[in-house]
Amino acid sequence: MSAAAERISLAPAAVKRRRTGGFWHRAARHVMRDKVALVCAIVLLAIALSAIFAPWIAPADPYKTSMLRCLLPPLSPKYLLGTDELGRDMLTRLLYGGRVSLSMGIAPVILATIVGGALGVTAGYFGRHINMAIMRVVNVFYAFPSVLLAVAMAGVLGSGIVNSLISLTLVFIPPIARVAESVTTQVRNQDYVEAARATGASAGRIIVQHVLANVMGPIVTYASSLVSIAIIISSGLSFLGLGAAPPLADWGLMLNTLRQAIYVAPVNAVLPGVMIFAASVSFNLLSDSLRSAMDVRA
Amino acid sequence: MSADRGGPAQPILIVNGLRKYFPLRGPLGTIDAHVQAVDGIGFDVRKGETLGVVGESGCGKSTTARLLMRLIEPDAGEVIFDGDPIGHRGISIRELRRNMQMVFQDSYASLNPRHTATEEIVFGLRVHGMGSKQAREQAHASLRLVGLEPGQFGDRYPHEMSGGQRQRVNIARGIALNPRVLILDESVSALDKSVQAQVLNLLADLKDRLNLTYVFISHDLNVVHHVSDRVLVMYLGKVVEIGPVERIYGDAAHPYTRALFASRLSMDPALRVGAAPLSGDPPNPVRPPSGCRFRTRCSLATQACAASEPLLREIAPGHQAACHALTGEMADAA
């Protein structure tokens, strides 16, 4: 081999550089390596997809009642998971129920992340009086147990899906705001924020370009752990008659109506509970994995 | 680069009576006491010079730097930039920050972990209204000035660079806006000796090429000796001595400065002193001693030192010190 060829083969390879990727890349890689989290992600994906495509894949009409074939046990002909107390197909209703329960788990958390995140970042970045004004109010709400607060809010606002969405959002704003505030307080004291201020940049610009990117990770990770709680509380509200109204298919509501049949058809009565359990545990374990992915600083 | 308005004789910075007390809050949020971090200091910085600032930890060096940049609001005093006071009557803080930039000590903490080197520099340029394409070009030009090839380092994140490279990025960010003054707050203190020498050479080179003025804050007396034209010595929030580097290093007047320089290790082990030239820690800046703040650790202290505070007095051309013993001696001789 000539000397020239040797030189060519050495130079570009040395310059080429591996991109180590950002925060979300690393988090995703960690979750992929975590077997439990992977299973949870697959379960959630299955529930989500079946809920989204329920109208196309469901074997029956979720609202079609029949007194002749109520409370059929699972594995009955034509009714894979049996029927409920009004003779509606359980499988169909469970698929449809995922639409309400998953949205009620995710939507309030997203809304609360936006509102609570904004409040917390504002309080943390500006500090002093602004911090005190915001965090005092937040802490008053934080002092109530979340279930009690949700029930009280839903009770005041009245029943219905929108109202339970609002009350759940209000329940989750305080904890998210508190996390956002403490992370932002740490970040705003970093030298790079000081350096950004030294360039003469406005507070808004510094928050958007320097603070948000560095606080979103912890906030989103924390918020993801609230989804499972949101699913349970929203099911609880429906169970109490403060959330979804019949005949809408919702896991919490189904649990309530089938409760009376628990001695007649125990398996049917338990099925919605199994769905609530599976969804919330999956969310919980997945967010745990996300959290441990965060701690690993590569 | 903005115009040299005041002419070469006008100091680029004049600091008068600058003061910053940090409140200490009690459990009920009431202000119980103040840390007297910087207490009525005054000095000037001449165009094109390097002013070294030395002193023990906690003497107010970094607070002074942050006051100059207006990262914190002074309680009293004024800073005049090239003849223009900062504030309502003179130039805006934004304008000041375009003309004066700062490089911090911790090269890692002072770079956003989610920004590449180029993004970090572009941010400041965009703040001052530069278009995105132009800002990128300017950022690359700055990186080249500090000896980092933009093609190789421009897209790197802070954790993908060495300490020396990161500090170069910090310097590039500092000079990208074409400032006239660069405040270097312990900027080379955290670097290895070999890297430190490279960065110091780079700073000397940039100073000539870009016509910069440096305020060089460091606790490293050897480095300050090497880079400075004049040296300012601080003790517990006060200026105790200021003068040309060869006077301060060769013929220091203030007892504190002498003690400070006696603490330097000699290159010859046989000449090293066994005992510490100064004992104890500096007094608590919440309750500093009356009169001269150094009197509790000073071998020359007398009654007069407790009674009144010594003011900075000219003891030789361009050389000032604040000590009763010095003015007393002069009075006796007269």
Side-chain angles (χ1 to χ4, degrees):
Chain A
M1 200 199 285
S2 71
E6 219 171 68
R7 224 178 302 138
I8 289 164
S9 69
L10 279 174
V15 175
K16 213 165 208 170
R17 210 170 53 75
R18 186 175 60 93
R19 281 291 291 250
T20 47
F23 169 78
W24 296 111
H25 261 95
R26 253 183 290 142
R29 249 188 293 134
H30 181 99
V31 171
M32 290 298 279
R33 257 185 274 131
D34 187 339
K35 293 268 161 49
V36 176
L38 197 62
V39 170
C40 291
I42 291 168
V43 168
L44 282 179
L45 202 65
I47 294 177
L49 287 176
S50 62
I52 292 168
F53 296 108
W56 292 276
I57 59 172
D61 180 342
Y63 301 117
K64 193 169 175 237
T65 61
S66 165
M67 277 303 147
L68 294 175
R69 43 181 167 79
C70 64
L71 293 172
L72 290 178
L75 301 178
S76 307
K78 274 182 75 188
Y79 301 100
L80 190 59
L81 295 178
T83 56
D84 70 1
E85 79 286 355
L86 294 175
R88 298 171 293 199
D89 181 35
M90 280 296 289
L91 177 60
T92 305
R93 283 184 67 77
L94 286 175
L95 293 178
Y96 273 88
R99 305 186 122 194
V100 179
S101 296
L102 282 189
S103 337
M104 289 305 286
I106 295 168
V109 172
I110 290 175
L111 289 176
T113 304
I114 294 167
V115 178
L119 285 173
V121 168
T122 308
Y125 185 80
F126 292 102
R128 290 166 165 268
H129 301 304
I130 294 176
N131 185 322
M132 197 146 80
I134 294 176
M135 294 319 285
R136 283 286 152 87
V137 176
V138 163
N139 282 331
V140 166
F141 281 91
Y142 187 71
F144 292 102
S146 52
V147 177
L148 180 68
L149 189 60
V151 170
M153 294 268 191
V156 169
L157 295 167
S159 68
I161 287 209
V162 177
N163 284 344
S164 76
L165 176 77
I166 293 171
S167 69
L168 280 173
T169 305
L170 290 174
V171 165
F172 290 126
I173 287 173
I176 292 176
R178 282 167 56 98
V179 169
E181 189 257 356
S182 78
V183 184
T184 308
T185 306
Q186 284 168 27
V187 167
R188 74 102 52 225
N189 289 326
Q190 294 281 322
D191 281 353
Y192 60 82
V193 174
E194 191 105 292
R197 293 210 295 135
T199 63
S202 64
R205 203 168 189 136
I206 294 173
I207 288 175
V208 170
Q209 295 201 23
H210 284 281
V211 177
L212 278 189
N214 288 292
V215 299
M216 275 320 275
I219 295 175
V220 169
T221 307
Y222 177 71
S224 73
S225 75
L226 294 177
V227 173
S228 64
I229 301 173
I231 290 176
I232 289 173
I233 297 182
S234 82
S235 300
L237 288 179
S238 298
F239 184 86
L240 295 175
L242 291 167
L248 195 66
D250 172 274
W251 294 338
L253 194 61
M254 288 164 73
L255 206 56
N256 186 21
T257 53
L258 283 166
R259 165 179 59 96
Q260 290 143 343
I262 195 156
Y263 296 114
V264 185
V267 180
N268 296 22
V270 162
L271 280 174
V274 169
M275 294 306 289
I276 296 172
F277 175 78
S280 78
V281 163
S282 298
F283 265 115
N284 217 338
L285 292 174
L286 195 60
S287 88
D288 270 359
S289 170
L290 202 61
R291 184 176 308 179
S292 63
M294 276 229 356
D295 291 339
V296 180
R297 272 300 192 171
Chain B
M1 199 175 303
S2 43
D4 184 357
R5 284 187 303 267
Q10 168 76 43
I12 189 119
L13 278 177
I14 301 175
V15 178
N16 275 331
L18 203 59
R19 197 181 75 196
K20 181 69 190 179
Y21 289 1
F22 292 109
L24 288 178
R25 287 181 195 277
L28 298 176
T30 51
I31 297 172
D32 292 353
H34 286 94
V35 177
Q36 304 185 6
V38 169
D39 195 10
I41 61 168
F43 57 91
D44 53 13
V45 184
R46 296 169 193 161
K47 278 176 186 154
E49 76 168 349
T50 297
L51 177 71
V53 179
V54 297
E56 282 166 283
S57 355
C59 71
K61 301 185 299 267
S62 287
T63 305
T64 305
R66 293 169 48 161
L67 284 171
L68 289 178
M69 285 302 296
R70 280 296 173 107
L71 289 171
I72 46 179
E73 279 296 307
D75 295 331
E78 59 174 355
V79 176
I80 298 170
F81 186 87
D82 200 10
D84 291 320
I86 291 147
H88 305 298
R89 292 166 298 135
I91 61 169
S92 66
I93 291 173
R94 195 181 151 88
E95 183 71 6
L96 169 81
R97 286 175 179 167
R98 206 173 64 72
N99 284 301
M100 187 154 75
Q101 279 290 305
M102 183 163 170
V103 179
F104 295 82
Q105 170 172 12
D106 187 337
S107 68
Y108 195 69
S110 51
L111 293 174
N112 187 334
R114 307 248 191 284
H115 280 188
T116 63
T118 308
E119 284 166 2
E120 190 68 52
I121 302 167
V122 162
F123 176 80
L125 296 167
R126 302 273 292 151
V127 164
H128 288 274
M130 200 179 273
S132 110
K133 190 155 172 279
Q134 201 191 350
R136 278 190 81 79
E137 279 163 17
Q138 171 79 29
H140 285 166
S142 288
L143 283 173
R144 264 185 222 104
L145 270 175
V146 298
L148 296 176
E149 188 46 50
Q152 195 184 347
F153 293 96
D155 294 330
R156 285 201 189 185
Y157 288 95
H159 68 269
E160 299 174 316
M161 287 183 279
S162 71
Q165 288 162 354
R166 281 197 295 265
Q167 203 57 301
R168 282 169 192 264
V169 174
N170 277 312
I171 293 168
R173 176 177 61 190
I175 61 171
L177 284 164
N178 273 327
R180 299 172 67 191
V181 180
L182 203 57
I183 298 176
L184 301 153
D185 185 5
E186 303 275 12
S187 299
V188 298
S189 306
L191 302 174
D192 292 346
K193 279 293 164 197
S194 59
V195 180
Q196 199 176 65
Q198 288 170 18
V199 174
L200 286 173
N201 286 338
L202 169 70
L203 286 171
D205 179 43
L206 289 174
K207 183 166 179 267
D208 291 340
R209 285 169 74 173
L210 304 173
N211 209 4
L212 289 163
T213 301
Y214 288 160
V215 176
F216 192 96
I217 297 170
S218 179
H219 62 266
D220 187 329
L221 298 168
N222 293 319
V223 169
V224 170
H225 190 187
H226 177 70
V227 301
S228 303
D229 298 308
R230 289 193 308 141
V231 176
L232 183 151
V233 185
M234 286 186 74
Y235 182 77
L236 216 63
K238 295 269 188 193
V239 176
V240 297
E241 188 163 7
I242 181 169
V245 63
E246 60 286 358
R247 294 274 310 179
I248 300 281
Y249 277 73
D251 190 15
H254 198 283
Y256 174 65
T257 316
R258 283 196 226 142
L260 190 66
F261 287 99
S263 71
R264 276 212 293 177
L265 284 181
S266 168
M267 290 302 283
D268 180 356
L271 293 178
R272 287 180 188 168
V273 282
L278 269 185
S279 57
D281 292 323
N284 188 348
V286 176
R287 255 169 265 93
S290 67
C292 175
R293 292 194 172 183
F294 183 59
R295 71 180 166 81
T296 52
R297 298 164 85 192
C298 179
S299 56
L300 307 175
T302 61
Q303 291 288 317
C305 300
S308 70
E309 192 186 317
L311 300 174
L312 271 180
R313 290 242 169 73
E314 187 111 355
I315 53 170
H319 184 181
Q320 295 171 301
C323 178
H324 285 312
L326 295 171
T327 45
E329 273 166 24
M330 285 159 82
D332 289 346

